[in-house]
């Protein structure tokens, strides 16, 4: 039976006013399993007005009171962890083991982290001089919007809504129409804990309708967006008309820089993960592997051998390491790049095929993890964000050379550096134009640190202090001494 997802507006689960829906597919089977509201301006405006109505009371609560509501949500998510992991895996095609290990625990941590982090938050500070006394007051913005992508649905949604809510804003959230299911379950949890109506509203639909309306709505004060650079650019240009505050976390083309003096086994193990976790559909995944030419042949053989052993399978199977591609258009896009490899004079070392599956998954969207060498620096495969299971190999022979190579992209999201010479690794890190750089590790996150890309990967930062600053406004009240 096809399940019907609802919007969550003013504390109620509601159908879209037009009664229009979008099909939601299970990537592992290629079949429709639910319908999500195809909301329009009217639905979006209703969500904004509910958030506006809830703001005066919610913003006057103490951080402690708001935090108590949020911790209740976290504890309900924890109780439902196993179901939520299953839903996330069904919606995205990721292995259930990954949803259990990463997506749901991190969603819970987003709540507990911001709750702890704001314990000692003060909403004012003062500067005194011989001429004046300045009282600086920090206040929530009002109604803010959070727009999120399909690769880490609940993880990224909660990463935004929690700091927004804890700072006293009310929220209109728009999950990806491709993977809306865990946001719907979050809405049910909000009802279960009696979150006051209008504090959080979850409005489903396409970017073209709901996303656009959010972007030009005069009562929305800020947008925290994660998604593609092209969409971020559209939001940037449209939102300027209403002078919204913006935080845009966008695409990447991340280098992994592998020096010959690295801890080889640790590097190999982690680079496999950084390349192919979530089928390469994490914005932080390594997609360009830059390898010291002195170890290139050895690395190529060892890496390809390991890649060929990655267990591709039904996401429901706990042994599966690599699942399905999240949507058919994205599957087609990745295949387009596979077809380009030959034209761009590249050679496929491993993978490069659609993976034919049996039984339940025979119509699913599976592509083998793919490793390519021999492509030019300016090839599309080395320039474009593919956001899938394709990595390219390139060699380097000097520190300066690899820095140039790493920076030869319009993106600047993340990079990894592998070397046991920490002063060299730090020296290189300083010269790499990326917002997040890992030395001898990957995806190790301290949520207090600023998170976000440089160049066309990011505009504004998330995490820790930056998130709190983003979701507040400051006012200076000056009295002459
Ligand atoms: P997308 O840009 O297509 O969509 C993201 C969200 O924006 C969706 O909810 C979508 O409906 C909405 N949207 C689409 N058009 C819109 C418009 N005109 N106005 C307002 N909203 C609109 O991205 P995607 O395909 O869902 O996600 C993949 C992209 O996300 C990749 O580029 C990836 O690198 C990026 N990403 C970045 C980070 C990061 O932290 N930098 C994290 C995860 C994903």
């Amino acid at each position: 039976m096809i399940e019907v997802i609802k919007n969550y507006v003013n504390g109620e689960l509601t159908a879209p006013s037009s009664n229009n829906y979008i099909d939601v597919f299970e990537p592992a089977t290629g079949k429709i399993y639910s319908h999500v509201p195809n909301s329009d301006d009217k639905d979006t405006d209703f969500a904004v007005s509910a958030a506006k109505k809830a703001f005066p009371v919610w913003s006057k609560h103490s951080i402690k009171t708001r935090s108590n509501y949020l911790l209740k949500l976290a504890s309900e998510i924890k109780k439902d962890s196993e179901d939520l992991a299953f839903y996330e895996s069904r919606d995205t095609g990721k292995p259930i083991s990954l949803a259990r290990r990463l997506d749901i625990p991190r969603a819970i941590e987003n709540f507990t982290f911001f709750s702890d982090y704001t314990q000692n938050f003060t909403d004012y500070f003062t500067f005194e001089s011989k001429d004046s006394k300045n009282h600086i007051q920090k206040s929530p913005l009002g109604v803010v919007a959070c727009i999120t992508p399909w690769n880490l649905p609940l993880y990224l949604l909660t990463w935004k809504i929690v700091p927004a809510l804890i700072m006293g804003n009310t929220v209109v959230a728009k999950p990806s129409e491709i993977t809306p299911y865990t946001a719907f379950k979050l809405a049910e949890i909000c009802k279960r804990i009696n979150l006051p109506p209008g504090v959080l509203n979850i409005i489903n639909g396409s970017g073209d309708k709901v996303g656009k309306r959010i972007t030009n709505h005069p009562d929305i004060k800020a947008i925290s967006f994660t998604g593609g650079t092209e969409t971020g650019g559209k939001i940037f240009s449209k939102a300027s008309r209403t002078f919204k505050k913006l935080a845009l976390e966008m695409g990447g083309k991340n280098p992994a820089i592998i020096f010959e003096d690295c801890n080889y086994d640790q590097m190999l193990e982690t680079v496999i993960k950084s390349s192919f976790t979530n089928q390469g559909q994490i914005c932080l995944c390594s997609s360009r592997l830059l390898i010291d030419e002195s170890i290139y042949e050895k690395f190529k053989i060892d890496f390809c051998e390991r890649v060929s052993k990655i267990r591709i399978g039904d996401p429901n199977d706990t042994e599966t390491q690599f699942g399905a591609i999240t949507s058919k258009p994205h599957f087609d896009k990745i295949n387009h790049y596979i077809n380009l490899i030959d034209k761009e004079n590249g050679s496929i070392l491993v993978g490069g095929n659609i993976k034919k599956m049996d039984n339940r998954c025979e119509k699913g969207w599976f592509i083998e993890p793919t490793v390519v060498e021999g492509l030019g620096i300016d090839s599309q495969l080395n320039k474009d964000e593919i956001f899938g299971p394709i990595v390219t190999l390139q060699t380097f022979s000097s520190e300066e050379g690899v820095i140039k190579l790493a920076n030869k992209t319009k993106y600047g999201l993340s990079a990894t550096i592998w070397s046991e010479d920490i002063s060299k690794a730090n020296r290189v890190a300083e010269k790499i134009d990326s917002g997040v750089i890992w030395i001898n590790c990957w995806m190790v996150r301290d949520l207090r640190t600023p998170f976000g890309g440089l160049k066309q990967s990011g505009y504004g930062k998330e995490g820790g202090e930056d998130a709190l600053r983003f979701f507040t406004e400051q006012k200076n009240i000056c009295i002459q001494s």
Side-chain angles (χ1 to χ4, degrees):
M1 205 188 72
I2 290 188
E3 199 170 337
V4 180
I5 291 172
K6 295 200 164 133
N7 288 331
Y8 173 61
V9 179
N10 204 27
E12 297 299 333
L13 296 171
T14 56
S17 56
S18 63
N19 225 19
N20 250 314
Y21 289 86
I22 301 169
D23 294 336
V24 184
F25 293 84
E26 178 177 7
T29 62
K31 290 189 185 143
I32 297 168
Y33 83 92
S34 67
H35 286 151
V36 66
N38 188 3
S39 308
D40 56 19
D41 285 8
K42 197 170 160 197
D43 303 306
T44 311
D45 290 357
F46 181 41
V48 177
S49 65
K52 206 173 164 186
K53 204 167 83 198
F55 179 73
V57 174
W58 181 252
S59 58
K60 290 288 171 303
H61 284 316
S62 64
I63 285 196
K64 181 95 197 111
T65 304
R66 292 194 291 257
S67 173
N68 283 342
Y69 278 110
L70 296 171
L71 288 175
K72 271 193 217 162
L73 288 177
S75 114
E76 293 301 305
I77 293 175
K78 199 166 182 186
K79 280 189 210 153
D80 292 357
S81 283
E82 190 45 37
D83 287 347
L84 288 166
F86 168 78
Y87 299 141
E88 206 68 302
S89 163
R90 181 177 58 177
D91 226 10
T92 58
K94 69 181 67 191
I96 182 127
S97 58
L98 181 65
R100 281 179 184 150
R101 191 175 70 241
L102 176 73
D103 294 72
I104 309 306
R106 174 55 196 276
I108 296 165
E109 193 190 355
N110 289 337
F111 287 89
T112 51
F113 165 75
F114 278 111
S115 174
D116 284 350
Y117 194 69
T118 50
Q119 283 301 303
N120 299 317
F121 179 85
T122 44
D123 58 4
Y124 70 92
F125 56 98
T126 52
F127 285 130
E128 277 186 63
S129 69
K130 65 178 177 23
D131 301 324
S132 66
K133 185 170 180 184
N134 292 278
H135 178 87
I136 293 113
Q137 190 191 325
K138 299 184 202 171
S139 327
L141 303 169
V143 179
V144 300
C146 302
I147 304 180
T148 46
W150 47 257
N151 64 326
L152 298 164
L154 193 63
Y155 169 141
L156 288 175
L157 185 77
T158 51
W159 177 232
K160 293 177 184 300
I161 64 170
V162 175
L165 291 171
I166 215 159
M167 298 318 290
N169 303 280
T170 52
V171 172
V172 173
K174 191 203 110 39
S176 169
E177 62 276 32
I178 296 167
T179 55
Y181 202 82
T182 47
F184 174 47
K185 291 289 136 181
L186 177 66
E188 290 180 346
I189 293 174
C190 291
K191 269 186 85 67
R192 208 190 299 160
I193 68 135
N194 293 320
L195 186 72
V199 164
L200 172 65
N201 304 275
I202 300 175
I203 185 97
N204 291 286
S206 71
D208 256 2
K209 285 187 182 170
V210 178
K212 270 192 186 157
R213 181 59 188 145
I214 285 174
T215 306
N216 65 30
H217 201 296
D219 290 335
I220 291 180
K221 303 297 176 203
I223 302 177
S224 176
F225 163 83
T226 297
T229 296
E230 202 184 319
T231 313
K234 286 183 192 165
I235 294 175
F236 187 88
S237 63
K238 296 262 164 55
S240 62
R241 292 183 202 158
T242 42
F243 295 96
K244 292 182 190 357
K245 237 177 150 176
L246 294 177
L248 308 172
E249 299 308 335
M250 302 175 283
K253 190 75 184 171
N254 311 314
I257 300 172
I258 302 168
F259 285 102
E260 54 78 38
D261 59 357
C262 64
N263 176 331
Y264 189 81
D265 292 342
Q266 187 202 350
M267 175 278 296
L268 198 62
E269 179 82 30
T270 313
V271 174
I272 295 275
K273 290 190 185 130
S274 74
S275 303
F276 297 115
T277 299
N278 206 28
Q279 298 74 253
Q281 302 172 129
I282 296 183
C283 57
L284 304 165
C285 276
S286 314
S287 53
R288 294 179 295 143
L289 311 190
L290 314 181
I291 304 129
D292 207 317
E293 64 180 11
S294 62
I295 56 164
Y296 183 70
E297 288 306 319
K298 176 173 168 51
F299 174 83
K300 186 167 102 175
I301 293 166
D302 294 342
F303 186 70
C304 291
E305 195 202 330
R306 295 284 295 267
V307 174
S308 65
K309 289 188 180 141
I310 293 175
R311 281 193 299 276
I312 309 172
D314 185 336
N316 278 345
D317 183 341
T318 51
E319 296 298 305
T320 292
Q321 295 173 318
F322 185 98
I325 301 302
T326 304
S327 72
K328 180 67 167 59
H330 197 52
F331 173 84
D332 292 341
K333 174 184 161 181
I334 295 166
N335 277 313
H336 161 76
Y337 280 99
I338 288 179
N339 292 330
L340 260 187
I341 295 171
D342 201 33
K343 292 188 191 118
E344 296 203 309
N345 302 320
S347 313
I348 296 174
L349 299 173
V350 183
N353 299 301
I354 292 170
K355 175 81 178 165
K356 284 284 158 221
M357 307 289 286
D358 299 328
N359 306 326
R360 196 182 91 84
C361 298
E362 68 179 352
K363 294 217 163 70
W365 307 316
F366 291 81
I367 295 178
E368 294 170 347
T370 299
V371 182
V372 187
E373 70 169 355
L375 292 157
I377 303 173
D378 288 319
S379 61
Q380 300 280 259
L381 274 117
N382 270 329
K383 282 200 319 202
D384 299 354
E385 185 193 39
I386 301 172
F387 204 55
I390 303 179
V391 293
T392 66
L393 309 187
Q394 294 173 76
T395 58
F396 68 86
S397 56
S398 69
E399 209 175 297
E400 301 73 51
V402 76
I403 292 165
K404 248 192 197 155
L405 203 53
N407 287 337
K408 203 167 171 9
T409 166
K410 65 178 183 181
Y411 297 108
L413 187 50
S414 78
T416 49
I417 301 171
W418 293 94
S419 169
E420 289 295 280
D421 178 346
I422 298 302
S423 62
K424 175 170 74 180
N426 272 312
R427 199 163 62 226
V428 172
E430 276 173 26
K431 293 187 181 141
I432 299 289
D433 303 330
S434 295
V436 185
I437 299 178
W438 283 291
I439 295 177
N440 298 330
C441 60
W442 177 68
M443 276 283 269
V444 176
R445 295 277 293 119
D446 177 333
L447 302 187
R448 293 171 300 180
T449 57
F451 177 86
L454 309 183
K455 301 192 316 200
Q456 294 193 23
S457 290
Y459 180 80
K461 300 279 186 232
E462 300 188 301
E465 207 47 47
D466 287 274
L468 306 191
R469 202 173 302 126
F470 179 74
F471 287 116
T472 48
E473 197 61 277
Q474 298 188 33
K475 188 155 88 180
N476 182 27
I477 302 162
C478 174
I479 306 173
Q480 198 167 30
S481 306

